[in-house]
C-alpha cells in the first residue's frame, strides 16, 4: 500500500512567497501523515493563469528561484507540483518531481488549450515526452490537465500496463463543469484500466473560479474519493490496487454550486487585490439586492457599504426598498442625490440629442 496526498490549494498569481509557504505547509503535513507522494495542482507555484506576466523575464526567474528553494524541503518524501519551466528562449507549462531532496524529473505539458478562457499556446511551447515511473511494485505516469482529455494521449499511455495516473489541473468552474469533468476522468480511467488521481486548484483569480473537487477514480470509472468543493483541502488516499472500494456519490445542487462559486470568486477578488471594503450601488431592484446580499454574506456586513443614488425618476417605493434592503442587511449606507449630475450630463449631450424625443435613453444615463 502507498499513500498519495492531493493538496488542493488556493494559490494567488504572482504571490510566490505566499504560494511557497502554503506548499511547505502541506509538504510538512504530508510528511507527518507518512504520505509517500504529495501532489499540487497545475502551476501551483506561480498561480494560474499567469497570462502576460509570462512575458516578463523576472517573473519566470522568480518562479524558478522558488522552485530551487523547494528542493531542500522534499527530503523523505516525493513532491509533484506545477511551475513554469524555461529552456533557452522557450517556456513550458510544467511540473517538477522531487524525491528525497533531489529533482527527479521535469515534464512539459503536451496539449495546450487555446479556447474559451484558455490562451496557453500564446505563451507556452508543447512538450513531447510522456514519463513513466515506479514506486515499489506500482507503475504510474503523471500529466497535466488537458493531456488526460485527449484520446491520442490516452492511446500512448495505454501501451503501458499502469497502476495509476496522476493529473495536475487548473480547471475553472462553470455550471455543470463538475459533472462534465467527472465523466471525462471516468472514461479515461476505464480506457486505461487504472486508477486516476486528479488534483485541481481552488479559488478565485480575476474572472475565473476554480472549484477544487479533486478526486480519485477507480479503473471501473467510479469515483471512490472526493475532496471538498470550493475550499482548500488535503485528500489522503491509501492506495491498494487490489482492495475493493465503495463508490462515492457527489450530490450536486446547481443552486448551491453557483452560490458557492459566486462567494468564492467575490471573496478572493477582494482579498487577492488587496481591498478591505466594498461599496455597492443599491437601487431597490432585484439585481442590486442580490449583489449587496451576496457581498454581505461573503465579506461580512462591516465590510460592505450601500450607496443609494436617487434622481427625479426614482419612485418613493423604489427609494424605500433600497433603504429597507440596507437596513435588513444591517449595513451602513449613504444617499447621494444625482439629480444635479444628471442635469449636467443632459446639458453636455444636448447637441447630440437635438430634435429627438425625450425617452429611456436619457433616463438610463
Amino acid at each position: 500500500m502507498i499513500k498519495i496526498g492531493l493538496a488542493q490549494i488556493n494559490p494567488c498569481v504572482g504571490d510566490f512567497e505566499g504560494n511557497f509557504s502554503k506548499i511547505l505547509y502541506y509538504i510538512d503535513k504530508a510528511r507527518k501523515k507518512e504520505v509517500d507522494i504529495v501532489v499540487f495542482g497545475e502551476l501551483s507555484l506561480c498561480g494560474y493563469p499567469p497570462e502576460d506576466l509570462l512575458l516578463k523575464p523576472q517573473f519566470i526567474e522568480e518562479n524558478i528561484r522558488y522552485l530551487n528553494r523547494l528542493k531542500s524541503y522534499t527530503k523523505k518524501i516525493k513532491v509533484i507540483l506545477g511551475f513554469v519551466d524555461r529552456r533557452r528562449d522557450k517556456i513550458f507549462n510544467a511540473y517538477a518531481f522531487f524525491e528525497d531532496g533531489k529533482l527527479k524529473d521535469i515534464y512539459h505539458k503536451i496539449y495546450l488549450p487555446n479556447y474559451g478562457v484558455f490562451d496557453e499556446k500564446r505563451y507556452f511551447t508543447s512538450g513531447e515526452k510522456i514519463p513513466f515511473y515506479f514506486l515499489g511494485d506500482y507503475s504510474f505516469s503523471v500529466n497535466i490537465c488537458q493531456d488526460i482529455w485527449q484520446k491520442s494521449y490516452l492511446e500512448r499511455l495505454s501501451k503501458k500496463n499502469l497502476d495509476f495516473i496522476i493529473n495536475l489541473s487548473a480547471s475553472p468552474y462553470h455550471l455543470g463543469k463538475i459533472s462534465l469533468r467527472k465523466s471525462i476522468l471516468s472514461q479515461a480511467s476505464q480506457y486505461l484500466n487504472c486508477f486516476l488521481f486528479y488534483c485541481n486548484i481552488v479559488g478565485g483569480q480575476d474572472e475565473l473560479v476554480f472549484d477544487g473537487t479533486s478526486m480519485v477514480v477507480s479503473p471501473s470509472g467510479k469515483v471512490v474519493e472526493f475532496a471538498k468543493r470550493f475550499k482548500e483541502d488535503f485528500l489522503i488516499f491509501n492506495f491498494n490496487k487490489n482492495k475493493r472500494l465503495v463508490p462515492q456519490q457527489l450530490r450536486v445542487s446547481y443552486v448551491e454550486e453557483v452560490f458557492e462559486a459566486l462567494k468564492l470568486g467575490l471573496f478572493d477578488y477582494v482579498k487577492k487585490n488587496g481591498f478591505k471594503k466594498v461599496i455597492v450601488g443599491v437601487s431597490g431592484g432585484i439585481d442590486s439586492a442580490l449583489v449587496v446580499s451576496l457581498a454581505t454574506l461573503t465579506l461580512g456586513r462591516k465590510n460592505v457599504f450601500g450607496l443609494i443614488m436617487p434622481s427625479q425618476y426614482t419612485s418613493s417605493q423604489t427609494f424605500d426598498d433600497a433603504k429597507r434592503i440596507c437596513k435588513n442587511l444591517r449595513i451602513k449606507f449613504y444617499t447621494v442625490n444625482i439629480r444635479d449630475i444628471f442635469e449636467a450630463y443632459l446639458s453636455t449631450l444636448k447637441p447630440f440629442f437635438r430634435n429627438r424625443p425625450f425617452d429611456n435613453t436619457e433616463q438610463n444615463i
Side-chain angles (χ1 to χ4, degrees):
M1 184 190 76
I2 58 174
K3 279 188 178 182
I4 299 176
L6 305 181
Q8 180 175 288
I9 69 169
N10 184 347
C12 180
V13 170
D15 182 11
F16 289 105
E17 186 60 36
N19 298 340
F20 183 76
S21 297
K22 191 167 290 190
I23 289 166
L24 291 188
Y25 169 80
Y26 281 100
I27 290 175
D28 185 57
K29 191 171 184 178
R31 191 182 287 108
K32 289 176 180 177
K33 295 287 186 179
E34 298 182 334
V35 168
D36 295 290
I37 306 175
V38 58
V39 183
F40 297 86
E42 179 179 9
L43 295 185
S44 50
L45 184 59
C46 65
Y48 189 96
E51 297 185 318
D52 281 2
L53 289 172
L54 293 168
L55 303 177
K56 297 179 178 293
Q58 61 268 36
F59 182 86
I60 308 298
E61 290 164 6
E62 191 76 347
N63 145 90
I64 293 173
R65 187 173 73 84
Y66 272 92
L67 184 79
N68 291 331
R69 278 183 61 190
L70 187 65
K71 189 184 301 182
S72 62
Y73 295 94
T74 62
K75 292 179 180 178
K76 297 183 180 180
I77 196 169
K78 297 173 179 62
V79 178
I80 302 173
L81 85 160
F83 79 109
V84 180
D85 192 24
R86 180 180 59 195
R87 302 290 171 91
R88 295 182 180 176
D89 60 340
K90 296 179 180 180
I91 60 171
F92 301 85
N93 184 337
Y95 71 67
F97 188 167
F98 292 99
E99 181 176 9
D100 195 21
K102 297 178 181 178
L103 180 59
K104 179 183 178 74
D105 197 14
I106 289 177
Y107 168 80
H108 297 153
K109 184 177 180 180
I110 294 176
Y111 289 94
L112 304 174
N114 217 57
Y115 60 88
V117 300
F118 301 106
D119 199 16
E120 292 194 22
K121 287 185 179 179
R122 181 184 177 200
Y123 308 103
F124 296 118
T125 299
S126 295
E128 297 177 355
K129 296 181 180 179
I130 295 180
F132 298 99
Y133 309 110
F134 289 92
L135 178 57
D137 295 331
Y138 295 95
S139 61
F140 66 101
S141 184
V142 186
N143 47 53
I144 300 175
C145 201
Q146 197 78 13
D147 289 337
I148 203 69
W149 294 53
Q150 305 301 317
K151 183 68 179 293
S152 57
Y153 192 94
L154 296 180
E155 288 173 350
R156 292 174 67 183
L157 287 176
S158 67
K159 296 175 182 178
K160 303 286 185 177
N161 185 24
L162 299 172
D163 292 306
F164 63 91
I165 301 288
I166 295 174
N167 181 263
L168 287 67
S169 191
S171 179
Y173 168 84
H174 62 67
L175 186 62
K177 182 65 172 288
I178 296 174
S179 297
L180 171 63
R181 194 188 296 136
K182 178 174 171 286
S183 175
I184 295 292
L185 297 175
S186 176
Q187 292 174 34
S189 63
Q190 289 180 82
Y191 181 82
L192 297 171
N193 191 32
C194 71
F195 280 81
L196 201 161
F197 292 84
Y198 171 81
C199 185
N200 197 16
I201 64 171
V202 70
Q205 186 63 53
D206 299 322
E207 77 279 15
L208 299 181
V209 176
F210 299 90
D211 59 277
T213 324
S214 300
M215 63 185 80
V216 182
V217 187
S218 73
S220 63
K222 304 296 183 183
V223 178
V224 294
E225 198 71 66
F226 283 106
K228 294 176 182 177
R229 291 180 298 156
F230 303 106
K231 293 180 180 178
E232 284 196 332
D233 198 8
F234 189 38
L235 192 165
I236 298 176
F237 189 82
N238 295 320
F239 178 58
N240 182 339
K241 61 183 176 182
N242 298 316
K243 183 180 178 181
R244 296 194 61 168
L245 299 165
V246 178
Q248 302 293 313
Q249 294 297 321
L250 179 65
R251 290 176 173 81
V252 178
S253 161
Y254 281 160
V255 174
E256 178 190 4
E257 191 178 288
V258 171
F259 179 62
E260 292 299 328
L262 288 170
K263 285 203 305 179
L264 178 59
L266 176 59
F267 182 85
D268 275 1
Y269 185 85
V270 172
K271 178 183 177 183
K272 291 180 179 180
N273 284 288
F275 300 119
K276 291 183 171 54
K277 301 180 185 296
V278 300
I279 299 173
V280 181
V282 184
S283 68
I286 191 169
D287 292 340
S288 64
L290 176 62
V291 173
V292 74
S293 297
L294 181 67
T296 304
L297 286 168
T298 303
L299 305 172
R301 66 182 186 86
K302 292 185 178 180
N303 297 315
V304 179
F305 297 92
L307 181 61
I308 304 172
M309 297 177 287
S311 71
Q312 56 266 51
Y313 299 109
T314 304
S315 68
S316 59
Q317 181 179 348
T318 300
F319 184 53
D320 290 342
D321 285 346
K323 290 189 291 184
R324 188 178 297 113
I325 290 166
C326 294
K327 289 177 180 178
N328 286 344
L329 293 172
R330 297 169 60 211
I331 64 170
K332 192 171 184 178
F333 65 93
Y334 302 91
T335 301
V336 177
N337 194 301
I338 61 170
R339 180 166 186 157
D340 291 344
I341 299 172
F342 174 71
E343 295 291 350
Y345 268 98
L346 285 184
S347 176
T348 301
L349 297 172
K350 189 175 180 179
F352 301 97
F353 292 161
R354 186 180 299 153
N355 300 323
R356 294 179 182 274
F358 194 93
D359 58 18
N360 288 338
T361 304
E362 285 82 0
Q363 291 187 36
N364 288 326
I365 288 178

